[in-house]
Amino acid sequence: MQNILQIIYLISSVTFILGLKFLGNPATARKGNLIAAGGMILAIFATIFLYTTETGEHLGNLGFIFGGLIIGTIIGWMIAKKVKMTAMPQMVSFFNGMGGACAALISMIEFRHLVSSGHYETASAGTLITIFAGLVIGTVSFSGSIIAYGKLEEKIKDFSLPAGQFINIGLLISLLGLSALMISGNIENTSVFYIILVLSVLYGVLFVFPIGGADMPVVISLLNSFTGVAAACGGFLYSNNVMLIGGILVGSAGTLLTVVMCKSMNRSLTNVLIGNFGGSNATAAATSTTFVGSIKEVTKSDAAIMMKYAKKVIIVPGYGLAVAQAQHVVHELEELLEKNDVTVKYAIHPVAGRMPGHMNVLLAESNVSYDKLVEMEEVNPEFATTDVVLVIGANDVVNPAAKTDPSSPIYGMPILDVENAATVIVMKRSMKAGYAGIENELFYKPKTSMLFGDAKKSLSELVSEIKSLG
Amino acid sequence: METILEFISKHIEMFYLIILMIFVGIELIGHVPSVLHTPLMSGANAIHGVVIIGSIIVMGQAHEIISLILGFIAVIMGTLNVVGGFVVTDRMLEMFKKKK
């Protein structure tokens, strides 16, 4: 039996590696996901029916195990099916938090078991290290992910404690210190374990709290790799290779993905984590920078004329477009303009939406053809030859302050050079600042005109205006 | 210190595995276009749901009530991670497939 289980674990491990490999290519990505899912199901059922303990017993409590599996499947399936595409990033964060919590609970149960069976004093340092690492990493991943989820859902506001950095470092040191003392046997009171648990929750919360706006995807990706490492700790604990491989694979791939994301935003990881992007700084910047100049509004009929008789129009979609669910109308506008011999392209900023690639998913959902989506490096030189740029619900990714104002929290982030185009029309709900909470000088430029209102409504009115022009 | 070294040498093949997997992970993600970052993150998120195996093992051997409760919650949370992760990823990738 054990032999069959090990073979199945081997097969599952291969499916994880293959799955990740296929996920890296648009043509095979979906297949990759299904392969990995198949391997996971195989591993789960093999564990339930074939796993035997050291004394040769099969696993008990099958009722509870299947109960948990069924409840989890129903809830998970429903949430995942119902969630809107715009809310994907926070969903990933939420599910990631669940994995972290699972790892932490495993450590907790194993620790309680060690203590109650009297093996705690004799347990090897290695076992204790994996238990403590699983607890700390899993818990930080859980509480951090839940805060990230809350922030993206906009249920939790940016907030940073005065001297937050020092509190965080202090927390981390006491966390690691207490763990080390317990593992080395210098602290014998086992309830310190729960103090470590509480400190870990706190650390996760305070770690994510001050990290603001556009950096959230980076944090989620980082927490994702944390959970991978926490899962790998479980692999050590049970000498279980499939957990180890799955966990480490995600840990390393996730870490690299985090770095790649940082690069595409031109930010260093330390910068993100130490965070001068924080909420307090951003609001300070918002109040301190006010621009002289006036905002010019444009009527829909003028905008329609400008676009219909343009040669080239570039659409810059942002999160506002997604929130307004306007991706279908924008596709309609694009088709209409193409019929009038206008070249239309979409300029996709690497972090358009809330995460790298998020906007591509949203536009693909409304059947926008792939070759119309142009990435930032490619599209930036094109703005100079563009007649009209239509910015829909994007703000930070077109903010020239990223280039010109070293004091701006987004300074250094690569942006779309929309100001090089002949005219810029910005569709926005109001003059409210973007996700990073800072003012945008672009809106005050002479060539920029604003079109206020809900993106979906404005766009469909634009479409009918253009149609009425014949 | 001695015990840690002993632990490492006892589990040496696992340490080899870790090193190899770190490189495999990096190789796999190395050249992925930024378009796929979100689905990839989501897919990786589902894969670390493998932690559920641990929760099943722990649950299958639990006896006293608190371990049973904690284990039960762990199984539910692990399942949420696995099922939610894979389904969300599939939904995202479905969008990509529709293009011609």
Side-chain angles (χ1 to χ4, degrees):
Chain A
M1 285 307 233
Q2 279 306 293
N3 301 340
I4 301 175
L5 181 66
Q6 291 309 325
I7 302 284
I8 290 179
Y9 280 165
L10 181 66
I11 296 171
S12 298
S13 305
V14 175
T15 66
F16 292 163
I17 298 174
L18 272 181
L20 261 191
K21 165 107 191 125
F22 285 174
L23 271 168
N25 182 331
T28 54
R30 198 171 182 200
K31 200 167 72 183
N33 186 50
L34 292 179
I35 291 174
M40 187 71 78
I41 294 171
L42 206 59
I44 289 173
F45 283 101
T47 307
I48 295 175
F49 293 114
L50 301 178
Y51 187 90
T52 47
T53 59
E54 283 147 22
T55 50
E57 282 171 66
H58 276 281
L59 292 178
N61 298 325
L62 288 188
F64 282 108
I65 294 176
F66 277 108
L69 281 174
I70 291 169
I71 294 176
T73 305
I74 293 174
I75 300 176
W77 192 281
M78 277 183 1
I79 301 178
K81 278 285 179 192
K82 255 173 68 182
V83 64
K84 288 204 184 93
M85 276 295 156
T86 44
M88 277 311 166
Q90 50 263 52
M91 224 53 252
V92 174
S93 186
F94 175 77
F95 290 131
N96 180 45
M98 292 298 110
C102 183
L105 283 171
I106 293 172
S107 284
M108 224 186 292
I109 299 169
E110 285 298 334
F111 181 79
R112 288 174 44 82
H113 184 68
L114 273 184
V115 173
S116 66
S117 64
H119 290 315
Y120 177 63
E121 278 77 19
T122 54
S124 77
T127 308
L128 289 180
I129 288 175
T130 43
I131 289 181
F132 277 86
L135 175 83
V136 172
I137 302 172
T139 309
V140 168
S141 180
F142 167 70
S143 60
S145 294
I146 296 305
I147 296 296
Y149 167 81
K151 285 189 107 168
L152 285 171
E153 281 278 284
E154 285 168 11
K155 283 181 182 147
I156 299 172
K157 292 265 165 277
D158 284 357
F159 164 82
S160 54
L161 290 172
Q165 289 311 327
F166 297 103
I167 296 178
N168 276 4
I169 292 169
L171 262 177
L172 192 62
I173 291 174
S174 35
L175 250 178
L176 298 179
L178 282 178
S179 307
L181 286 175
M182 276 196 85
I183 292 167
S184 61
N186 286 318
I187 294 181
E188 282 173 7
N189 188 343
T190 50
S191 50
V192 174
F193 185 83
Y194 299 99
I195 298 179
I196 295 175
L197 172 69
V198 173
L199 288 179
S200 303
V201 173
L202 215 58
Y203 181 73
V205 170
L206 294 177
F207 167 68
V208 178
F209 240 127
I211 299 174
D215 283 338
M216 208 39 81
V218 177
V219 178
I220 295 177
S221 175
L222 187 70
L223 292 173
N224 194 22
S225 60
F226 278 10
T227 312
V229 176
C233 289
F236 252 111
L237 211 49
Y238 302 116
S239 298
N240 186 311
N241 284 339
V242 74
M243 283 176 80
L244 190 74
I245 289 178
I248 294 292
L249 209 53
V250 175
S252 89
T255 308
L256 185 70
L257 195 60
T258 313
V259 174
V260 172
M261 274 189 198
C262 280
K263 260 197 201 145
S264 68
M265 293 192 282
N266 198 22
R267 296 177 56 70
S268 76
L269 188 57
T270 33
N271 213 332
V272 170
L273 296 185
I274 305 299
N276 52 16
F277 214 118
S280 62
N281 292 340
T283 31
T287 45
S288 66
T289 29
T290 40
F291 297 104
V292 273
S294 55
I295 299 248
K296 197 171 62 191
E297 278 196 60
V298 65
T299 61
K300 275 156 202 135
S301 49
D302 283 346
I305 291 170
M306 278 154 77
M307 289 170 73
K308 186 177 180 227
Y309 298 105
K311 278 207 184 67
K312 185 152 116 190
V313 172
I314 293 184
I315 299 173
V316 179
Y319 187 67
L321 172 128
V323 171
Q325 299 286 318
Q327 57 267 48
H328 298 280
V329 205
V330 86
H331 179 51
E332 203 184 328
L333 175 74
E334 165 220 317
E335 284 184 313
L336 185 64
L337 287 173
E338 291 264 298
K339 258 186 227 152
N340 284 291
D341 295 321
V342 184
T343 315
V344 185
K345 286 183 181 168
Y346 294 86
I348 309 291
H349 190 275
V351 290
R354 280 285 188 269
M355 262 192 198
H358 189 201
M359 190 50 69
N360 303 65
V361 174
L362 294 171
L363 288 174
E365 188 192 10
S366 56
N367 289 323
V368 172
S369 118
Y370 234 51
D371 36 278
K372 292 217 164 291
L373 309 180
V374 195
E375 300 209 9
M376 183 174 63
E377 295 83 21
E378 269 177 78
V379 82
N380 265 346
E382 284 199 39
F383 282 114
T385 59
T386 303
D387 305 298
V388 182
V389 171
L390 182 64
V391 179
I392 308 170
N395 191 342
D396 298 328
V397 297
V398 294
N399 192 337
K403 278 187 178 163
T404 56
D405 178 10
S407 70
S408 169
I410 60 165
Y411 183 70
M413 180 171 99
I415 57 160
L416 294 162
D417 301 322
V418 295
E419 48 187 334
N420 294 342
T423 43
V424 181
I425 301 175
V426 179
M427 275 190 176
K428 250 174 108 21
R429 259 190 315 206
S430 67
M431 275 310 288
K432 249 175 66 185
Y435 199 54
I438 44 176
E439 280 272 10
N440 195 335
E441 193 192 346
L442 177 77
F443 304 155
Y444 298 86
K445 297 218 163 174
K447 63 167 77 160
T448 310
S449 35
M450 309 293 292
L451 192 58
F452 290 114
D454 176 73
K456 190 175 183 180
K457 208 167 142 257
S458 301
L459 277 169
S460 42
E461 282 168 21
L462 251 183
V463 167
S464 45
E465 284 283 351
I466 295 176
K467 275 184 187 153
S468 71
L469 288 171
Chain B
M1 200 58 209
E2 194 55 39
T3 52
I4 294 179
L5 289 179
E6 198 183 308
F7 179 81
I8 293 177
S9 78
K10 209 173 127 195
H11 294 87
I12 194 68
E13 80 286 356
M14 294 191 109
F15 282 93
Y16 276 108
L17 208 55
I18 289 179
I19 309 274
L20 286 173
M21 281 309 130
I22 290 175
F23 280 100
V24 171
I26 291 173
E27 260 329 288
L28 289 178
I29 307 300
H31 312 283
V32 175
S34 72
V35 184
L36 279 175
H37 282 173
T38 299
L40 193 65
M41 192 206 289
S42 177
N45 178 37
I47 290 176
H48 69 48
V50 73
V51 69
I52 191 181
I53 305 275
S55 71
I56 291 172
I57 294 175
V58 100
M59 184 73 201
Q61 302 172 57
H63 295 300
E64 36 108 29
I65 183 79
I66 295 181
S67 291
L68 278 173
I69 294 172
L70 292 180
F72 188 58
I73 298 174
V75 173
I76 293 179
M77 285 178 152
T79 317
L80 273 174
N81 186 178
V82 171
V83 175
F86 281 119
V87 173
V88 158
T89 313
D90 189 62
R91 274 191 61 198
M92 277 188 226
L93 294 170
E94 196 182 11
M95 307 289 146
F96 283 86
K97 231 191 158 182
K98 262 199 287 184
K99 53 150 190 170
K100 354 164 214 178

